[in-house]
Amino acid sequence: MEHKNLPSDMAAFQARVYGLLAEHPGQRVMSFEFDGNKYWLKQPERLEGAMKLLKDEPQSALEHEIAALSKLGEHNAPVPRIILAEPHYFVVEDAGLTVSDWLYEAKSGEDVPVKTILCDSASALAKLHTQNLAHGRPALRDIGWRGGEVKFIDFEANQAGKSMLTQQIRDLLVYLHSLYRYVGVQHDCIQAAIDSYRRSGGEATWQAAKAKLESWQWLRWVLKPFRRVGGKDLKPLYWVLWHFKSYP
């Protein structure tokens, strides 16, 4: 696999990676620096207890992610480049802070252009969809942003066998759920992001998702008592249904 702008000394870079693998066997994700640049090393996840039954086999999940990133990279999709990859690990370039990390920085008092970051992430998701591609789980913690550039990371959600429209609807629902989870009930900010998604080529997917959820709107009334006090997954679910019902 060839890449432009690879580390200047690939032999030294690979030796560094092998050293990290030996020092941190089984550590799922770790970052490191080489020649002043940041990279991420990922290995198969170590599952314990019931998680062995609930999640995909780690080695298969890793191989799926490598294949997904390679395919998306070939289509010039907004994903970090793979620098090195073997069956038991891969290394990618850094994609900047995740959108969820930026939101944490903003809540900590840092001067962060939150609305711009959210709109950029939504627009990038729409553009990914216009390329007839899907992410699988574009939660805000799986989207990197740096200086206006968006990169999607963590492609472990396997939707093989599903139509592309079904995958893209799932993407949109996961993304909107994540907005309400991390941003809270700030409709103006969230609506700005969704408007960016729709303007950037996502209108057809938006309308398809709205139609799909129409038969589930009864659940909104069941969830209404939890719209302010529900957990981090339950509360956003009400607002996702509310959002599709409230906007044409």
Side-chain angles (χ1 to χ4, degrees):
M1 187 180 300
E2 296 183 358
H3 296 285
K4 296 180 180 179
N5 301 321
L6 287 170
S8 57
D9 188 339
M10 280 300 296
F13 183 84
Q14 191 166 38
R16 175 73 184 283
V17 171
Y18 285 162
L20 292 171
L21 290 168
E23 294 169 13
H24 305 275
Q27 183 171 330
R28 187 186 180 204
V29 181
M30 65 177 300
S31 64
F32 67 96
E33 290 193 1
F34 185 87
D35 283 348
N37 294 311
K38 187 176 181 180
Y39 301 91
W40 290 87
L41 169 62
K42 192 164 188 177
Q43 303 179 64
E45 182 179 11
R46 282 187 173 180
L47 301 180
E48 298 181 357
M51 295 306 294
K52 292 181 179 180
L53 301 175
L54 298 174
K55 299 194 71 173
D56 292 337
E57 196 277 319
Q59 182 60 43
S60 296
L62 187 83
E63 292 172 3
H64 168 77
E65 188 169 6
I66 293 172
L69 283 170
S70 299
K71 175 185 175 182
L72 290 165
E74 290 170 1
H75 287 81
N76 295 315
V79 297
R81 291 182 305 129
I82 295 179
I83 307 301
L84 284 176
E86 293 186 16
H88 62 292
Y89 78 89
F90 68 91
V91 178
V92 292
E93 60 186 357
D94 182 54
L97 287 179
T98 66
V99 176
S100 58
D101 285 337
W102 281 113
L103 291 173
Y104 178 79
E105 293 286 316
K107 290 177 181 178
S108 299
E110 298 294 326
D111 185 16
V112 174
V114 170
K115 187 172 288 189
T116 296
I117 292 172
L118 293 177
C119 289
D120 286 348
S121 69
S123 178
L125 180 62
K127 290 174 182 176
L128 184 72
H129 289 171
T130 63
Q131 293 177 274
N132 200 34
L133 299 169
H135 179 279
R137 191 192 62 196
L140 300 191
R141 65 179 180 274
D142 297 319
I143 306 173
W145 184 92
R146 178 169 51 202
E149 185 176 15
V150 174
K151 300 283 188 181
F152 292 94
I153 60 178
D154 207 349
F155 284 77
E156 292 184 7
N158 192 342
Q159 293 290 297
K162 302 290 182 66
S163 72
M164 184 52 63
L165 178 59
T166 297
Q167 294 181 57
Q168 292 174 350
I169 288 173
R170 184 180 190 273
D171 274 1
L172 179 56
L173 296 179
V174 169
Y175 178 76
L176 183 54
H177 182 279
S178 190
L179 283 175
Y180 277 108
R181 177 177 179 176
Y182 287 102
V183 179
V185 188
Q186 299 181 35
H187 298 305
D188 59 336
C189 200
I190 291 174
Q191 186 55 30
I194 296 302
D195 283 346
S196 291
Y197 174 84
R198 297 173 70 174
R199 286 196 305 268
S200 300
E203 180 64 24
T205 304
W206 163 269
Q207 294 297 342
K210 182 177 176 67
K212 183 179 182 66
L213 287 186
E214 190 61 37
S215 64
W216 287 95
Q217 284 297 334
W218 61 269
L219 185 57
R220 183 164 49 97
W221 300 105
V222 176
L223 295 172
K224 190 172 183 179
F226 307 102
R227 69 191 186 282
R228 306 287 184 188
V229 297
K232 59 185 180 181
D233 291 321
L234 186 62
K235 182 166 59 175
L237 185 55
Y238 168 84
W239 291 108
V240 168
L241 291 166
W242 175 91
H243 197 100
F244 277 97
K245 189 66 175 179
S246 301
Y247 294 95

